[in-house]
Amino acid sequence: MVRLHRFTSVAALGAAVMLAPVSAVPGADAAVHAAASQARISAAYVLPGDRVYPEGIAVDPRTGALYAGSYQDGTVYRMTPGRRVAEVFLPAGADGRRTANGLKVDRAGRLWVTDSTAGVSVYDTRSRRLLARFDVRGNEARFVNDLAIAPDGGAYITDSVRSVVYRVTSQELAAARGGRAALVPRFDLGGVLEPHGPGAFTLNGIVADPAGRFLLTADMHGGDLYRLDVASGAVRKAVLDGGDLRNADGLELQHGRLWTVHNIDNAITRWRVARDGTGARRERMLSDASLQFPTTLVRTRGTLYVVRSQFDKGGPVGDGTPEIPFTVAAVRGI
């Protein structure tokens, strides 16, 4: 299993909140700065267990329920409005999964769960039944990480070690129902990313353009954002203004704005994305130690729900003792 210890060590972090527009961005003004001071972070949900180390989070677009996964053992939790403590939706080790990294719920009510060691499993959220499983072939190192669902129903999945993006089409999902199939790369970014050593973590979060034209994925090692053209397969580096995406983990894209968590920095940044996806300008940044090594986020009804992984406290990237219980934070005002 490819471990996450290849991340750089955690920097010292202050306890104070820093949320402000980026001064280097032309047009930043006092009104944005005033709004920035209203950011609030609170614990929204409790994930039961003392070794959860959560990684992924997703929202069901039909019901509003949230799902989070445990990197430690593959448990998947479900959170519903009005209930503070999450329920176990899929138990540890279900269907042979060792981890639960990226999660997404598609418009048909299917829950996609990546296992960093193997591939992606697809479940029916009503029956909890396993519908299909797609596996990475070969014995080379891999780290199947995050995923996005495109408007046509296809899924795109990043591999942080192989620096590729796999694709599962709607037709492939239908053909694999009840069985297993291979994960096949659609985009190979190995030749375009910034130079990195063997086994370095590169591609992580990924999001889909609502119009279905392109995907955006972040290279957490090089700090860059890449535009992947769905139709042609072309890859290009997006132009970033006002910062970079170093240590970027989960991404969320809505209405032309991109939210990113930076895990070891305990930070969230917000970007304005060009309509064609060729560039992005950083608008705000929130840095707060109470984010507790955030790894993924999802935005619903104006609130960001952020996974507090605590990976640096006895988890895959550091020694120590985690703060119990593990929680999902609600972040408002950014």
Side-chain angles (χ1 to χ4, degrees):
M1 173 179 174
V2 181
R3 304 294 292 184
L4 290 180
H5 62 261
R6 292 186 176 89
F7 288 136
T8 55
S9 61
V10 179
L13 296 165
V17 173
M18 180 190 72
L19 175 57
V22 182
S23 59
V25 176
D29 55 26
V32 177
H33 182 76
S37 65
Q38 299 174 10
R40 304 182 307 281
I41 302 174
S42 60
Y45 295 101
V46 169
L47 303 177
D50 59 4
R51 299 286 295 174
V52 178
Y53 295 107
E55 216 284 353
I57 190 166
V59 63
D60 187 330
R62 304 161 311 134
T63 68
L66 296 171
Y67 294 83
S70 167
Y71 175 79
Q72 185 72 19
D73 61 18
T75 300
V76 174
Y77 301 89
R78 180 165 60 187
M79 296 153 280
T80 54
R83 294 187 176 182
R84 181 171 173 79
V85 179
E87 65 171 321
V88 172
F89 180 75
L90 298 171
D95 307 299
R97 285 186 300 100
R98 299 183 185 180
T99 67
N101 290 13
L103 283 79
K104 284 293 184 296
V105 182
D106 64 25
R107 289 179 292 184
R110 296 177 294 237
L111 173 65
W112 299 67
V113 183
T114 63
D115 177 340
S116 61
T117 68
V120 62
S121 300
V122 188
Y123 294 89
D124 186 319
T125 55
R126 299 175 184 88
S127 66
R128 310 189 192 201
R129 180 170 60 94
L130 176 66
L131 300 176
R133 180 164 176 167
F134 296 85
D135 301 307
V136 176
R137 298 295 167 86
N139 297 320
E140 296 83 7
R142 82 288 302 270
F143 196 96
V144 185
N145 204 329
D146 208 351
L147 75 157
I149 306 295
D152 65 1
Y156 293 86
I157 302 120
T158 58
D159 190 317
S160 299
V161 170
R162 296 189 180 186
S163 301
V164 301
V165 176
Y166 306 105
R167 179 178 65 178
V168 178
T169 67
S170 297
Q171 294 77 15
E172 290 167 339
L173 176 59
R177 295 280 288 214
R180 305 175 79 130
L183 269 182
V184 178
R186 168 59 172 141
F187 300 94
D188 187 342
L189 283 77
V192 300
L193 298 180
E194 292 296 316
H196 56 276
F201 273 64
T202 56
L203 304 181
N204 200 327
I206 185 168
V207 289
D209 164 41
R213 299 166 299 167
F214 59 85
L215 307 158
L216 296 174
T217 185
D219 171 16
M220 65 182 304
H221 178 84
D224 296 309
L225 183 69
Y226 289 87
R227 182 192 189 276
L228 314 180
D229 191 277
V230 171
S232 69
V235 176
R236 65 181 294 178
K237 184 186 294 186
V239 176
L240 298 180
D241 181 8
D244 60 41
L245 291 177
R246 200 170 303 277
N247 302 323
D249 208 317
L251 308 178
E252 175 77 330
L253 178 65
Q254 290 186 12
H255 309 297
R257 283 200 166 100
L258 178 73
W259 288 265
T260 305
V261 290
H262 301 254
N263 48 41
I264 70 173
D265 304 311
N266 279 347
I268 301 171
T269 52
R270 194 187 82 188
W271 304 74
R272 171 62 71 179
V273 177
R275 300 184 79 173
D276 61 0
T278 59
R281 175 175 57 88
R282 196 169 79 174
E283 295 180 320
R284 297 187 187 180
M285 178 176 178
L286 163 66
S287 180
D288 191 336
S290 73
L291 292 171
Q292 297 179 317
F293 207 110
T295 52
T296 325
L297 77 171
V298 68
R299 187 173 186 266
T300 180
R301 298 179 180 178
T303 298
L304 292 174
Y305 291 92
V306 182
V307 170
R308 290 163 153 169
S309 79
Q310 299 194 73
F311 276 5
D312 56 331
K313 295 181 174 61
V317 301
D319 299 325
T321 302
E323 180 181 320
I324 304 298
F326 286 91
T327 60
V328 172
V331 181
R332 300 176 176 89
I334 179 173

